[in-house]
Amino acid sequence: MRTIKTGLSVFVCILISFIFNRDTYVVSSITAVFTLREDMYNTLKFGRHRVVGNIMGALFSVVAIFIFQQFGDGDLVQLIAIPLLVTGMIWLLSTAHCYEGTVGACATFLTILFMIPDNQSYTYALARVVDSFIGMFVAFGMNIALPCKYKKLDGFKDK
């Protein structure tokens, strides 16, 4: 059932992107895939971590862009600023117990810094956060609309 719900979630994310003329449906679809879990408790947990991670990555990229505007974006500035910001971001996420959000945060941060043109960085950061919310809410909706009903087998314990 989770496989079907995942496929349907990706379909809904793409459909929402088409309806609302969003530039990309990659982030919302990936967020839905990562967020959708076997039950609502885990879906909520992973959704929160994913969205918090993307928000942190976007915010830290804005900080990095500000640093580059103040000190230039030469090799030495990047060599010092980027690892320090990644370290600080991971520390904050760990402090907030959002461990599963660290990979997404780092991916968001590095994608914005290295792959998005300077004149589009802020809008991409905002779009990525919005798309994360779309994917998370689609996963929530899918778990509500099609809840998994399974019976635990005797002798098997949850870890």
Side-chain angles (χ1 to χ4, degrees):
M1 190 60 163
R2 184 173 167 196
T3 303
I4 293 168
K5 291 193 305 185
T6 302
L8 287 171
S9 294
V10 170
F11 171 82
V12 171
C13 287
I14 295 170
L15 183 63
I16 289 170
S17 294
F18 289 166
I19 291 170
F20 292 102
N21 224 9
R22 308 252 342 128
D23 289 336
T24 179
Y25 43 81
V26 173
V27 174
S28 63
S29 297
I30 289 172
T31 299
V33 170
F34 285 153
T35 299
L36 190 68
R37 299 294 164 165
E38 64 279 359
D39 57 28
M40 188 54 98
Y41 171 80
N42 285 311
T43 297
L44 289 168
K45 176 184 170 187
F46 278 86
R48 178 173 81 70
H49 289 209
R50 177 82 180 164
V51 169
V52 168
N54 278 329
I55 290 170
M56 291 293 281
L59 288 174
F60 271 71
S61 71
V62 169
V63 171
I65 292 165
F66 176 77
I67 290 169
F68 297 159
Q69 289 173 345
Q70 298 304 308
F71 301 102
D73 63 352
D75 293 347
L76 184 60
V77 173
Q78 288 188 43
L79 189 61
I80 294 169
I82 293 171
L84 285 175
L85 288 169
V86 166
T87 303
M89 185 172 59
I90 292 171
W91 177 82
L92 276 173
L93 287 165
S94 295
T95 302
H97 303 287
C98 286
Y99 309 108
E100 290 89 353
T102 57
V103 172
C106 291
T108 298
F109 175 74
L110 296 171
T111 298
I112 292 169
L113 289 185
F114 296 133
M115 298 184 75
I116 306 303
D118 291 342
N119 62 343
Q120 297 175 8
S121 297
Y122 296 117
T123 56
Y124 179 82
L126 179 62
R128 184 150 181 148
V129 170
V130 169
D131 289 340
S132 294
F133 275 105
I134 291 170
M136 179 181 68
F137 286 123
V138 166
F140 292 169
M142 201 58 63
N143 253 345
I144 291 168
L146 301 171
C148 282
K149 295 176 182 160
Y150 64 92
K151 182 181 177 184
K152 282 187 180 180
L153 298 173
D154 291 329
F156 290 95
K157 295 182 181 181
D158 290 337
K159 293 183 179 181

